[in-house]
Amino acid sequence: MKVGVSLEDDKRRSRLIRDEIGYDNLLMMDANQCWDVQEAIDWMKELAIFKPLWIEEPTSPDDVLGHAQIAKVLNPLGIGIATGEHCQNRVVFKQFLQANALQYCQIDCCRLGGVNEIVAVYIMAAKFGVPVCPHAGGVGLCEHVQHLSIFDYICVSGSLENRYLEYAEHLHEHMTYPATVKKGYYLVPKDLGHSTEMQEDSLRDHEYPNGPVWQKLFDEGTFQRD
């Protein structure tokens, strides 16, 4: 759940969610970098009664020591720090891991510089005993990161414990080989490649500025023609 705009509303919505799912199911919170360090600590102390598994991006994604300070206070309350989707290379992840600044490593396969960089982060995370929970949800991200989690399970960690992979239901209709989820688990793709190929019709329809999708937006006045 998203948090950080109103503490009282966060409490209200957390209570509604816990009433619905109980305390045997997991609840994760995401602040989208909206707090400074002390604000993150104070805010999450108030929400600790709802027992979130983690708080995601509690502060600036570049503030390694700030995350470490937050983790030092919140970890004893049972709240882990999840971050990494805005980290652009293995060096930043190395610093996060060395500082014990994250308990859930959230790589983004499109922000990191290719498969080699991603593999380096997986290996470092395994060395520090930190599970990797890839960021997903954008166009083709679910399709891409499923391969990384499979690689992690087979070749690196050998475990599914404390490993979670995001999934969003939208935009898969544009993919040639859409990801498939059944009973909360990704199914292993049967096609070769990274599963990130987009359908030709979708590419043609959304081509700027001549595709029919853009032409409709121009006609409706949503955007102005050049």
Side-chain angles (χ1 to χ4, degrees):
M1 61 173 288
K2 299 294 185 181
V3 296
V5 175
S6 164
L7 179 57
E8 291 308 311
D9 192 56
D10 287 347
K11 289 180 178 179
R12 180 187 66 83
R13 292 182 298 113
S14 297
R15 192 173 296 108
L16 287 173
I17 292 172
R18 277 304 185 197
D19 287 345
E20 183 67 26
I21 70 173
Y23 281 83
D24 293 330
N25 291 299
L26 299 178
L27 172 64
M28 293 87 153
M29 296 180 176
D30 185 353
N32 287 115
Q33 313 167 27
C34 72
W35 299 317
D36 63 23
V37 172
Q38 190 59 49
E39 186 179 18
I41 292 171
D42 294 341
W43 202 292
M44 288 309 299
K45 280 183 175 179
E46 294 288 329
L47 297 180
I49 58 173
F50 301 105
K51 299 190 180 302
L53 178 68
W54 72 48
I55 177 61
E56 183 174 340
E57 290 196 314
T59 193
S60 169
D62 301 316
D63 190 354
V64 176
L65 297 182
H67 278 82
Q69 186 177 344
I70 296 169
K72 185 176 181 180
V73 176
L74 296 187
N75 286 175
L77 302 178
I79 304 172
I81 306 301
T83 193
E85 69 180 79
H86 285 92
C87 294
Q88 66 273 34
N89 60 59
R90 66 186 184 276
V91 176
V92 178
F93 278 106
K94 179 193 72 170
Q95 294 173 351
F96 267 101
L97 292 164
Q98 287 177 326
N100 194 33
L102 54 74
Q103 286 70 55
Y104 298 91
C105 177
Q106 295 181 308
I107 61 168
D108 185 291
C109 62
C110 292
R111 197 174 303 274
L112 282 167
V115 174
N116 288 344
E117 197 83 357
I118 292 168
V119 169
V121 175
Y122 268 104
I123 293 172
M124 286 192 296
K127 177 179 175 64
F128 283 89
V130 173
V132 178
C133 305
H135 172 241
V139 181
L141 268 181
C142 294
E143 281 71 24
H144 198 164
V145 297
Q146 62 183 335
H147 295 276
L148 303 177
S149 288
I150 293 168
F151 161 76
D152 176 35
Y153 177 58
I154 295 174
C155 300
V156 182
S157 68
S159 173
L160 297 177
E161 185 177 1
N162 290 328
R163 285 161 174 82
Y164 310 98
L165 182 52
E166 287 185 298
Y167 179 77
E169 291 187 340
H170 67 305
L171 303 175
H172 298 284
E173 66 272 16
H174 300 295
M175 310 306 297
T176 304
Y177 308 108
T180 303
V181 171
K182 186 175 182 179
K183 295 183 178 180
Y185 289 89
Y186 277 78
L187 300 186
V188 176
K190 296 181 180 179
D191 300 291
L192 297 177
H194 285 291
S195 307
T196 52
E197 179 182 316
M198 295 189 70
Q199 295 184 24
E200 290 295 330
D201 289 348
S202 292
L203 292 173
R204 184 186 64 249
D205 291 347
H206 291 82
E207 182 183 14
Y208 179 85
N210 298 318
V213 172
W214 283 101
Q215 291 300 310
K216 181 181 179 183
L217 292 171
F218 293 144
D219 291 342
E220 294 172 345
T222 304
F223 294 100
Q224 298 295 318
R225 289 183 170 84
D226 293 335

